[in-house]
Amino acid sequence: MRRIRLIVAYDGTGYVGWQVQPNGVSIQYHLERALYELTGEQIRVEGSGRTDSGVHAKAQVAHFDTGVRMAADKFAIAMNMHLPPDIRVLYSEECDPSFHARFSAKQKQYEYTVQIGAHADVFHRLTSLHLHYVPDFAAMQIAAKAVIGTHDFAAFKCSDSTMENTTRTIMQSEWVKNGSLWTYRVTGNGFLYNMVRILVGTMLEIGSGKRPANDMKHALEARDRSLAGATAPAHGLCLVRVCYPDFDTEEVLSRE
C-alpha cells in the first residue's frame, strides 16, 4: 500500500463540515466517493482537522492509502474530475507511510474575515461576516495580542465539548486591514472545537464597546466560558495553512 498526501481547498458553504455525518453531505464524503470512482477501492481519507459546517479551507491537508499504481501527482487531476466545483485537490504526492495528516501536524493557521460597510458586498457574502458598524480596531488588536503564548483556553471551547486538555500555544494572533475587509489571523499548535470563532466573537464584542479589551485576558485566566463572547458565524472562517516538520502547505502551493 502507498500513502498519498493531498492539499485540498473548498468552499464549505453547502457542507456539514469536513467529517462524514448522517445529517448531510461532507467534504470527506466527496473525496472518498471520488477515490472510489477512480480506484474501485473503499478508501478512508483522513484530514488535518474537522472543520465545522460552513467553514472554508484554502489548504486543508489529507492523506489516504491505496494499492493503485497511478503516479502520485496525477491523483489531484484525476480526483478533480469526480469532485464538485466547490472542492478542489490542489496537490498530491506520495509520502512516508508514517505521515498522518492530523497527528503529524505541528502548526495550523486560520483566518477570519469581516467586511465593514453600510451594505454587504455580494462577492464576499459567503466568506466574510458583514458588519454595519466600524469596530474599534486598536481595542481588538490589544485583545488579539493577549492570547499569544501558551494558555489554558477552556473559556474558548464549545460549552458541550468533552476535551480535557485545553492548553494550546498561539504563535500569531493579529488583525490585518485590507480596505473594508478586516482579517483576524491566528497560528497555533492546535485549536479547540469552536475556539477561533469564540475568540473572534469576543474580540468583536470588545470592538463594539460591549466589553473592555482586558476581558480577553480575564476570560483566559478564569477559564470560564461564560466570561467569553458569542461564537462568531462559521462562514467567515477559513483554514489557510498547515505545517509539518517536512511539509508546509504555503511553501508547496507557492511553487505550484
Side-chain angles (χ1 to χ4, degrees):
M1 297 291 282
R2 309 157 66 206
R3 181 153 293 188
I4 306 298
R5 175 164 51 195
L6 308 174
I7 301 177
V8 185
Y10 49 86
D11 176 344
T13 303
Y15 300 101
V16 295
W18 165 266
Q19 187 177 18
V20 170
Q21 297 179 44
N23 63 328
V25 180
S26 68
I27 308 299
Q28 185 183 37
Y29 164 80
H30 273 298
L31 293 172
E32 292 177 355
R33 188 178 73 167
L35 284 168
Y36 178 75
E37 293 174 354
L38 184 63
T39 68
E41 298 175 331
Q42 294 286 353
I43 292 174
R44 179 72 171 179
V45 178
E46 298 285 352
S48 71
R50 300 172 180 176
T51 53
D52 297 343
S53 175
V55 174
H56 317 291
K58 292 181 180 178
Q60 170 72 282
V61 176
H63 79 264
F64 64 89
D65 295 330
T66 179
V68 172
R69 301 312 303 170
M70 179 189 298
D73 63 337
K74 301 301 182 186
F75 272 99
I77 298 172
M79 289 178 69
N80 286 335
M81 296 175 65
H82 298 277
L83 288 169
D86 51 4
I87 304 174
R88 279 294 171 264
V89 178
L90 306 179
Y91 179 83
S92 59
E93 69 171 7
E94 188 163 355
C95 62
D96 190 276
S98 65
F99 172 82
H100 194 286
R102 179 183 175 190
F103 299 123
S104 301
K106 298 301 181 185
Q107 290 183 18
K108 293 180 184 177
Q109 183 180 87
Y110 284 90
E111 291 182 351
Y112 193 100
T113 302
V114 298
Q115 188 244 322
I116 313 296
H119 307 288
D121 184 330
V122 296
F123 298 107
H124 291 102
R125 73 190 190 283
L126 301 180
T127 56
S128 65
L129 174 65
H130 175 238
L131 299 179
H132 296 278
Y133 63 93
V134 181
D136 184 335
F137 185 85
M140 293 198 304
Q141 196 73 291
I142 292 171
K145 297 300 182 185
V147 305
I148 294 176
T150 301
H151 304 281
D152 186 334
F153 285 92
F156 298 92
K157 70 173 183 177
C158 179
S159 57
D160 60 357
S161 171
T162 58
M163 178 69 68
E164 293 184 2
N165 179 11
T166 52
T167 298
R168 299 291 185 272
T169 299
I170 301 299
M171 302 85 171
Q172 176 191 33
S173 175
E174 62 179 354
W175 283 91
V176 178
K177 286 184 181 181
N178 181 15
S180 65
L181 295 178
W182 295 11
T183 300
Y184 173 59
R185 189 170 297 145
V186 60
T187 304
N189 67 349
F191 295 90
L192 305 173
Y193 183 60
N194 281 353
M195 175 175 158
V196 178
R197 291 168 58 194
I198 298 170
L199 287 170
V200 171
T202 306
M203 286 184 278
L204 291 179
E205 291 181 11
I206 288 170
S208 70
K210 295 178 180 177
R211 295 172 175 270
N214 61 6
D215 260 18
M216 185 70 80
K217 185 173 183 291
H218 289 162
L220 273 173
E221 293 173 346
R223 298 159 52 193
D224 184 345
R225 176 67 184 91
S226 69
L227 297 181
T231 304
H235 67 280
L237 185 62
C238 186
L239 173 63
V240 299
R241 184 179 185 180
V242 188
C243 301
Y244 300 85
D246 62 343
F247 185 81
D248 182 335
T249 57
E250 185 170 85
E251 292 178 3
V252 171
L253 294 178
S254 69
R255 300 195 302 262
E256 290 298 294

